[in-house]
């Protein structure tokens, strides 16, 4: 049985964890499936065939983190086996974080351990008011090591120190105040809130969104340098003269919807976004 599903319809890909009987906990099989799906999504997003990815899960919990049976097996692993497993999880986080298109994380319940990393790697997080978040690793003698670059970027260093060292549970409003979550809604309104965000994202230029996401990742590495300033000039200039850039400006001045919001919208190849490394 597949531990995850990938459904693509009208440019929206829904990547769903499907282990509700164990609260969508991670194990090596789920991680391998997700990495395979992400490889496919990178190719589809770069080609313009996928415009937005929604990451969600089935059941009561978003994800409980590491699977207990997997952890029992890892007790007997040596250092090299542990490194191999950790690198696969690292590839998962990097693959999700670097998807060229916008990503939305739908959190309906508990998100513990590595699941906090999944949320931090997505561009937008919409959570139910029943959602809870916890960097729980120190409670069992471990560390949120692999997910730490993404979660610390999201929470900031000071708040990361607190929640990584205490393993306190954050409710949804606290997670939003700390920057991990963008929107908290009543539980029954979660799907409609995600759909509304999809409508908003699909109104943007696919090429401009890919270019903007790549640009922001680049700017974060060196926000104040001659190379960064020149790169920003190159990006906006290339977009202005591109097919979608010209269409966007024309539609604005002509007071009409741009072509990419129509079923037969532009499908210009990606030339502005940086390729996945």
């Amino acid at each position: 049985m597949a531990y995850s599903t990938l459904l693509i319809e009208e440019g929206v890909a829904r990547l769903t964890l499907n282990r509700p009987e164990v609260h969508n906990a991670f194990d090596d099989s789920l991680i391998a499936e997700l990495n395979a799906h992400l490889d496919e999504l990178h190719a589809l997003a770069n080609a313009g065939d996928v415009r937005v990815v929604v990451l969600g899960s089935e059941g009561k919990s978003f994800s409980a983190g590491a699977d207990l049976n997997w952890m029992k097996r890892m007790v007997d692993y040596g250092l090299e086996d542990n490194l191999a497993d950790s690198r696969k999880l690292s590839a998962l986080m990097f693959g999700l974080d670097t998807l060229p298109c916008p990503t939305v994380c739908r959190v309906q319940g508990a998100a513990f351990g590595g699941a906090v990393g999944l949320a931090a790697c997505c561009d937008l997080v919409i959570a139910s008011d029943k959602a809870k978040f916890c960097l729980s690793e120190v409670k069992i003698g471990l560390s949120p090591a692999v997910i730490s670059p993404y979660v610390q970027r999201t929470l900031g260093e000071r708040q990361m120190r607190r929640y990584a060292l205490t393993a306190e549970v954050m409710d949804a409003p606290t997670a939003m105040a700390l920057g991990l979550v963008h929107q908290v809604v009543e539980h029954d309104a979660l799907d409609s809130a995600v759909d509304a965000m999809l409508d908003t994202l699909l109104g943007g230029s696919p090429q401009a969104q890919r270019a903007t996401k790549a640009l922001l990742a680049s700017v974060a590495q060196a926000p104040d340098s001659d190379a960064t300033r020149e790169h920003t000039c190159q990006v906006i200039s290339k977009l202005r003269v591109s097919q979608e850039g010209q269409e966007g400006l024309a539609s604005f001045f002509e007071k009409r919807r741009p072509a990419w919001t129509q079923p037969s919208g532009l499908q210009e190849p990606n030339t502005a976004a940086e390729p996945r490394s």
Side-chain angles (χ1 to χ4, degrees):
M1 179 182 292
Y3 287 166
S4 62
T5 60
L6 177 61
L7 300 176
I8 301 171
E9 185 176 6
E10 297 181 353
V12 175
R14 296 182 184 270
L15 179 56
T16 306
L17 312 186
N18 190 31
R19 303 187 74 204
E21 70 282 1
V22 291
H23 300 279
N24 300 302
F26 291 80
D27 67 0
D28 48 354
S29 296
L30 176 58
I31 291 170
E33 282 187 17
L34 292 175
N35 277 327
H37 289 320
L38 287 170
D39 285 343
E40 181 181 357
L41 287 171
H42 270 270
L44 291 171
N46 272 319
D49 296 324
V50 166
R51 299 240 0 240
V52 184
V53 173
V54 178
L55 175 65
S57 62
E58 297 289 348
K60 180 179 179 181
S61 301
F62 176 70
S63 173
D67 180 88
L68 293 178
N69 290 322
W70 182 40
M71 291 174 67
K72 287 179 182 178
R73 283 190 279 122
M74 287 193 293
V75 168
D76 297 324
Y77 284 10
L79 178 60
E80 291 304 317
D81 289 331
N82 270 284
L83 278 171
D85 263 354
S86 298
R87 286 166 180 156
K88 291 172 184 175
L89 179 61
S90 179
L92 167 59
M93 297 298 162
F94 180 77
L96 179 59
D97 187 63
T98 57
L99 272 173
C101 63
T103 52
V104 179
C105 188
R106 174 193 179 276
V107 183
Q108 81 279 24
F112 279 39
V116 180
L118 292 179
C121 288
C122 288
D123 301 318
L124 295 153
V125 179
I126 302 177
S128 157
D129 55 6
K130 295 183 179 180
K132 296 184 184 300
F133 301 83
C134 181
L135 295 166
S136 54
E137 288 86 351
V138 297
K139 291 286 190 180
I140 55 171
L142 302 177
S143 168
V146 171
I147 66 173
S148 62
Y150 310 101
V151 182
Q152 181 161 295
R153 178 188 63 190
T154 301
L155 297 181
E157 182 182 354
R158 293 294 290 165
Q159 297 295 350
M160 179 67 175
R161 287 190 182 195
R162 172 180 175 173
Y163 287 96
L165 294 174
T166 65
E168 294 172 275
V169 175
M170 294 174 263
D171 61 17
T174 300
M176 185 168 70
L178 293 172
L180 179 61
V181 170
H182 295 88
Q183 184 179 1
V184 176
V185 298
E186 292 184 2
H187 188 74
D188 292 341
L190 182 58
D191 287 327
S192 60
V194 170
D195 288 343
M197 183 57 69
L198 289 176
D199 288 341
T200 297
L201 290 168
L202 292 171
S205 156
Q207 176 185 263
Q209 288 173 334
R210 292 192 300 267
T212 298
K213 188 164 179 178
L215 173 69
L216 295 177
S218 176
V219 168
Q221 297 301 312
D224 186 23
S225 70
D226 290 341
T228 295
R229 286 188 285 275
E230 176 60 22
H231 181 49
T232 63
C233 295
Q234 291 283 339
V235 169
I236 187 60
S237 299
K238 290 177 181 178
L239 286 173
R240 284 174 180 164
V241 300
S242 71
Q243 182 182 0
E244 282 192 16
Q246 292 289 302
E247 166 62 12
L249 290 169
S251 65
F252 176 77
F253 289 121
E254 295 168 11
K255 295 181 171 55
R256 60 173 174 81
R257 297 178 65 187
W260 59 75
T261 64
Q262 309 301 323
S264 58
L266 297 172
Q267 295 294 323
E268 182 178 339
N270 178 21
T271 59
E274 297 175 359
R276 183 190 183 199
S277 59

